[in-house]
């Protein structure tokens, strides 16, 4: 009951905060658009240059506000101009500006994790069943994608935005998330399991395989960063390392033919023992819910309804024909709006043609869905619906991840901290908190098998995020730069993160080998100490201790 109350309370807080901030953004946008020729604070996601440094050089807030009004190319790539919002709207009270940005950051983290857990992951689970994938293959492909969706999309969005600062955020967030999970999460699991009798042991083959393969991936990444650029073929080679990893896992599974489920990382790492109920529209209950439940339901609508109306959901528990028909009608329109926004000229003739075509396509799909589905159960032909649900989940995750990266880049410039530092800490923590809760819960409550699954997830997930998340980002960036090489935004701090990450992996490999693969207190304390040392160095850098030559 306490967990259920906490879960409902935090959802109510997030949704109320969203309503308040949304009303504020819309009110200010209407006021600013009536006094200026073009909106100054709600911008399209067209490409913009990195001129925040010139703004930061100004001393007072009024000068920065005036500079931003006269230079509309400032700011990170996103739908909201956070720099203008902070300096011009909240210039009278910076504290209120910090609070608003912090709450908006929480809302974006909630949207990112909630979209992945309630829409993206169920689509992947159903696709795995429809495609009849083996547990091992599903675990290292679709289920790993479900685990690492926030990190993967944050990396892709940051590289796709074109700026060096945003690309550094994506690179740092993936490395920071991998470092957090492989040290803090593994360390806490080891400490929690160290008092058990008999001691908990993890599978030697699986653990050594994953740690060694992760080290190989990091060494290849160090090579790329040392060169400072990567060609299209090099980036494709980096992604293909994950194919090799899948092959190795499959061969291991086939040779051993036991405990196959232990090879797969947890899909539920984002949901983490959370209550499964969510507003499910008209199919909630036969009896009218209490007044408080109705109040919570209506409060959640602003965040729940837009996604539910555009993401097809065909699970038996959440099937609703009205929502299904509405989703196939509105999803093409949403895609068209996003396409026109990315093009940067939504009023052009081509943009209007795309929008009208999407409306026509949506009407055709809606009529087809209405005639071919029943109200009592999902359709028999699931694959098209699952593919549509997967695609729209990706779109929503991409939108939220892009806005999250944009916010972190802007906050970095506001507080005078490198965006890459925020990526390796704040963004990495936000994307990894689900792994922390879920894996620790599984290790504590799942016995020896649960500890093995948790440890496997702590290494398989970061491997996927590094090779696939960063790999796809590098492939797309190097493809756009072809035939030239893509210049990677390299910073000394990235080598520091990788150095500590390699140190944590080597410590885990050494201690596990020495103790017979037992999860010990020494392993856990050592990993937490390594991460603590890393945080101290990051803190010193944020305080501008330039005497540290290492940074």
């Amino acid at each position: 009951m306490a967990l259920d109350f906490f879960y409902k309370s935090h959802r109510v807080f997030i949704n109320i905060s969203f309503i308040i901030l949304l009303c504020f953004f819309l009110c200010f946008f209407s006021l600013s658009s009536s006094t200026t020729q073009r909106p100054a604070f709600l911008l399209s996601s067209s490409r913009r240059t990195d001129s925040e440094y010139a703004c930061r050089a100004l001393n007072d807030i009024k000068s920065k506000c005036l500079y931003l009004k006269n230079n509309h190319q400032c700011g990170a790539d996103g739908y909201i101009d956070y720099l203008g919002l902070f300096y011009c709207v909240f210039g009278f009270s910076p504290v209120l500006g910090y609070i608003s940005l912090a709450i908006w950051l929480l809302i974006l983290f909630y949207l990112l994790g909630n979209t992945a857990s309630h829409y993206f992951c169920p689509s992947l689970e159903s696709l795995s069943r429809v495609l009849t994938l083996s547990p091992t293959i599903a675990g290292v492909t679709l289920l790993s994608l479900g685990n690492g969706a926030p990190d993967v999309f944050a990396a892709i969005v940051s590289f796709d935005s074109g700026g060096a600062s945003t690309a550094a955020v994506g690179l740092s967030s993936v490395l920071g998330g991998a470092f957090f999970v492989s040290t803090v999460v593994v360390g806490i699991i080891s400490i929690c399991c160290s008092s058990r009798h008999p001691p908990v042991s993890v599978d030697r083959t699986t653990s050594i395989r994953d740690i060694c393969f992760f080290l190989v991936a990091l060494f290849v990444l160090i090579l790329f960063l040392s060169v400072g650029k990567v060609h299209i073929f090099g980036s494709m080679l980096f992604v293909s390392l994950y194919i090799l990893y899948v092959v190795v896992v499959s061969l291991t599974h086939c040779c051993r033919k036991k405990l196959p489920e232990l090879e797969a990382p947890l899909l539920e790492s984002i949901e983490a023992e959370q209550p499964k109920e969510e507003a499910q529209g008209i199919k909630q209950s036969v009896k009218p819910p209490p007044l408080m439940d109705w109040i919570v339901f209506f409060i959640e609508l602003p965040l729940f309804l837009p996604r539910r109306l555009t993401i097809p959901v065909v699970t038996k528990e959440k099937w609703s024909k009205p929502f299904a028909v509405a989703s196939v009608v509105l999803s093409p329109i949403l895609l068209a709006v996003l396409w026109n926004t990315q093009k940067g000229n939504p009023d052009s003739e081509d943009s209007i043609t795309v929008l009208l075509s999407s409306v026509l396509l949506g009407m055709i799909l809606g009529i087809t869905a209405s005639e071919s589905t029943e109200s009592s159960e999902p359709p028999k032909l699931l694959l098209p619906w699952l593919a549509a649900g997967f695609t729209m989940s990706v779109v929503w995750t991409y939108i939220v991840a892009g806005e999250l990266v944009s916010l972190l880049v802007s906050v970095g410039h506001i507080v005078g901290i490198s965006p890459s530092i925020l990526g390796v800490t704040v963004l990495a923590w936000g994307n990894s908190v689900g792994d922390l809760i879920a894996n620790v819960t599984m290790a504590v409550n799942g016995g020896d098998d649960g500890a093995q699954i948790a440890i496997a997830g702590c290494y398989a997930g970061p491997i996927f995020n590094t090779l696939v998340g960063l790999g796809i980002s590098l492939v797309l960036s190097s493809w756009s730069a072809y035939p030239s090489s893509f210049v990677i935004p390299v910073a000394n701090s990235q080598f520091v993160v990788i150095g500590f990450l390699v140190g944590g992996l080597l410590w885990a490999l050494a201690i596990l080998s020495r103790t017979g693969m037992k999860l010990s207190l020494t392993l856990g304390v050592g990993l937490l100490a390594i991460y603590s040392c890393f945080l101290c160095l990051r803190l010193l850098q944020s305080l501008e201790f330039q005497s540290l030559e290492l940074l």
Side-chain angles (χ1 to χ4, degrees):
M1 289 298 294
L3 183 60
D4 180 67
F5 175 77
F6 172 76
Y7 183 62
K8 283 187 176 181
S9 300
H10 101 272
R11 288 195 305 176
V12 169
F13 170 77
I14 290 293
N15 283 271
I16 291 178
S17 302
F18 173 75
I19 295 172
I20 295 174
L21 290 176
L22 180 63
C23 292
F24 174 80
F25 290 154
L26 292 178
C27 290
F28 184 80
F29 171 65
S30 62
L31 292 175
S32 63
S33 60
S34 64
T35 57
T36 59
Q37 294 296 321
R38 52 181 170 175
F41 302 102
L42 195 61
L43 304 178
S44 68
S45 59
S46 58
R47 297 294 179 261
R48 291 171 284 183
T49 57
D50 294 327
S51 57
E52 298 91 342
Y53 297 100
C55 179
R56 192 196 303 175
L58 301 175
N59 295 325
D60 60 292
I61 292 180
K62 290 184 178 180
S63 299
K64 293 181 179 180
C65 176
L66 183 61
Y67 179 85
L68 291 170
K69 286 184 177 180
N70 295 326
N71 294 271
H72 291 271
Q73 296 299 316
C74 294
D77 192 32
Y79 291 94
I80 299 176
D81 182 10
Y82 297 105
L83 293 179
L85 196 65
F86 182 84
Y87 290 120
C88 298
V89 181
F90 295 108
F92 68 96
S93 178
V95 174
L96 184 59
Y98 284 122
I99 294 175
S100 300
L101 293 181
I103 294 176
W104 185 244
L105 180 67
L106 292 177
I107 293 173
L108 292 177
F109 271 128
Y110 170 80
L111 277 174
L112 192 62
N114 186 265
T115 302
S117 63
H118 286 86
Y119 298 98
F120 190 71
C121 291
S123 297
L124 290 179
E125 286 181 330
S126 301
L127 279 174
S128 176
R129 290 193 296 267
V130 170
L131 298 175
T132 62
L133 298 178
S134 68
T136 302
I137 299 300
V140 296
T141 53
L142 295 181
L143 303 189
S144 290
L145 179 57
N147 263 346
D151 296 287
V152 170
F153 285 106
I156 294 175
V157 167
S158 63
F159 276 83
D160 184 56
S161 57
S165 59
T166 53
V169 170
L171 179 58
S172 300
S173 67
V174 171
L175 293 175
F179 185 33
F180 181 86
V181 172
S182 61
T183 53
V184 175
V185 179
V186 175
I188 294 177
I189 291 174
S190 301
I191 293 174
C192 293
C193 297
S194 61
S195 58
R196 290 186 188 176
H197 296 286
V200 178
S201 298
V202 294
D203 183 73
R204 176 180 294 273
T205 303
T206 300
S207 300
I208 293 180
R209 178 200 66 204
D210 291 346
I211 293 176
C212 291
F213 208 95
F214 198 9
L215 288 171
V216 171
L218 291 175
F219 284 134
V220 175
L221 182 59
I222 290 175
L223 179 62
F224 287 166
L225 295 177
S226 300
V227 176
K229 56 184 179 180
V230 60
H231 196 267
I232 179 65
F233 299 110
S235 58
M236 293 175 64
L237 177 62
F238 189 65
V239 176
S240 65
L241 287 178
Y242 195 78
I243 301 177
L244 177 62
Y245 175 70
V246 173
V247 172
V248 173
V249 170
S250 302
L251 291 177
T252 304
H253 167 70
C254 294
C255 293
R256 301 179 60 192
K257 291 185 179 180
K258 67 176 182 178
L259 298 178
E261 70 277 6
L262 300 186
E263 304 290 340
L266 279 177
L267 177 61
E268 293 80 6
S269 64
I270 302 174
E271 297 180 89
E273 300 295 323
Q274 293 177 351
K276 298 290 183 181
E277 74 275 3
E278 182 181 338
Q280 297 180 18
I282 60 176
K283 290 196 65 179
Q284 183 73 15
S285 178
V286 178
K287 300 175 67 176
L291 178 61
M292 187 61 189
D293 288 343
W294 274 109
I295 295 175
V296 172
F297 173 76
F298 282 110
I299 290 175
E300 291 178 342
L301 281 181
L303 289 179
F304 165 76
L305 201 58
R307 292 175 295 163
R308 192 66 173 90
L309 288 174
T310 53
I311 302 177
V313 179
V314 290
T315 57
K316 190 174 183 180
E317 299 80 10
K318 295 184 178 182
W319 168 252
S320 171
K321 182 175 180 178
F323 275 125
V325 174
S327 64
V328 297
V329 172
L330 296 177
S331 55
I333 300 176
L334 175 61
L335 292 175
V337 172
L338 293 175
W339 173 266
N340 292 338
T341 305
Q342 292 290 330
K343 295 274 288 185
N345 190 9
D347 297 329
S348 65
E349 183 178 347
D350 292 340
S351 299
I352 295 175
T353 302
V354 170
L355 183 60
L356 293 178
S357 301
S358 68
V359 173
L360 179 61
L361 177 61
M363 294 176 61
I364 295 174
L365 292 177
I367 294 173
T368 304
S370 178
E371 295 296 328
S372 61
T373 58
E374 300 179 1
S375 301
S376 57
E377 60 181 359
K380 302 297 183 182
L381 186 60
L382 286 178
L383 188 58
W385 288 90
L386 293 175
F390 172 82
T391 302
M392 294 310 298
S393 300
V394 169
V395 169
W396 271 100
T397 306
Y398 192 87
I399 293 172
V400 178
E403 202 61 31
L404 181 59
V405 171
S406 174
L407 175 58
L408 284 178
V409 171
S410 300
V411 169
H413 289 290
I414 290 172
V415 300
I417 297 178
S418 171
S420 62
I421 296 180
L422 294 177
V424 81
T425 53
V426 178
L427 184 56
W429 296 338
N431 288 341
S432 303
V433 66
D435 297 271
L436 172 63
I437 299 174
N439 290 352
V440 172
T441 302
M442 174 62 70
V444 172
N445 300 327
D448 291 354
D449 289 346
Q452 172 62 52
I453 295 174
I455 293 295
C458 289
Y459 292 117
I463 291 174
F464 180 88
N465 295 343
T466 302
L467 293 177
V468 178
L470 284 181
I472 293 179
S473 303
L474 293 174
V475 167
L476 295 177
S477 299
S478 57
W479 180 270
S480 62
Y482 185 82
S484 301
S485 298
F486 170 68
V487 179
I488 304 175
V490 181
N492 290 336
S493 59
Q494 296 163 358
F495 291 99
V496 175
V497 178
I498 296 178
F500 275 95
L501 177 53
V502 170
L505 294 174
L506 293 177
W507 173 264
L509 188 62
I511 298 301
L512 287 173
S513 301
R514 181 180 179 183
T515 59
M517 307 306 294
K518 294 181 176 61
L519 300 179
S520 61
L521 185 64
T522 303
L523 173 62
V525 172
L527 291 175
L528 293 180
I530 291 173
Y531 195 81
S532 299
C533 292
F534 166 77
L535 286 184
C536 290
L537 288 177
R538 295 298 93 197
L539 178 61
L540 292 176
Q541 185 186 26
S542 65
L543 295 176
E544 297 182 351
F545 277 78
Q546 301 297 335
S547 60
L548 294 177
E549 294 293 335
L550 178 61
L551 302 178

